[in-house]
Structures are given as structure tokens and as C-alpha cells.
Amino acid sequence: MTAVPNFLTGRKSSIGTTALQLTTNTTKADRGVQITASAGNSATIYVGLHNVTADSADDTDGFPLAAGESILVPVRDATKVYVVASTGTNSKVFFMLV
């Protein structure tokens, strides 16, 4: 019998202009964390480390995701991933550990 790889899905909602941890779940990813910005977002979401900023600082700006866009972040620990919105307080992302 083959072992089932780690698997976790979730959502982070109420993303605003303050960086939020993607998840506190400590399940480890085998290949990384797939993150998709909700198609209904009006703001750009930035993905990065705990100090991620939204198009405001060269050293800390995250990777931008427009509504509906995705990125695979090659990290094993999803608790190290943070998100922040360019404006507003009602953006959300969906994620899956792969």
C-alpha cells in the first residue's frame, strides 16, 4: 500500500493591508503551497514572508496575484507564508498543500 502524501486545503479571508499568516496548521507540504486569489477580489494580493508589503517597499514587496491568479510557493511549511492586500479588507485566497 502506498502512503498518502500530506494534503490540506483552506481559505484565508478578510485579507486587508496588514500582513496575515496564511495558516497556522503545521501539516508539512511535500512540494509546496498552491495559492489562488479569489476571482471576486478587487485588490491585488501579495504573497511573501512575515514582513510582506503590497507594492510599497523594494526589499519586502511580495509576489502579486490579481483576481483568479495562482502561484505555487516551493515551501514545506505553509505557516511561513503571509499575504497582504493592496487595498480594502475583504480579499481572500484559497490554498492547497501539494
Side-chain angles (χ1 to χ4, degrees):
M1 179 179 260
T2 304
V4 175
N6 293 332
F7 186 73
L8 175 72
T9 62
R11 176 183 81 182
K12 184 58 141 184
S13 55
S14 300
I15 301 170
T17 56
T18 300
L20 297 176
Q21 189 175 29
L22 184 65
T23 182
T24 58
N25 189 304
T26 58
T27 300
K28 299 297 182 204
D30 291 326
R31 295 188 180 132
V33 181
Q34 178 81 32
I35 302 169
T36 301
S38 173
N41 287 352
S42 58
T44 300
I45 300 296
Y46 291 81
V47 179
L49 298 172
H50 67 92
N51 60 345
V52 65
T53 54
D55 198 19
S56 63
D58 288 347
D59 292 338
T60 56
D61 277 350
F63 186 89
L65 292 178
E69 290 185 333
S70 297
I71 185 174
L72 176 62
V73 182
V75 297
R76 288 191 38 83
D77 186 352
T79 66
K80 303 295 184 198
V81 179
Y82 284 73
V83 291
V84 65
S86 58
T87 61
T89 59
N90 292 321
S91 295
K92 61 184 169 186
V93 297
F94 300 91
F95 65 90
M96 178 186 331
L97 273 60
V98 293

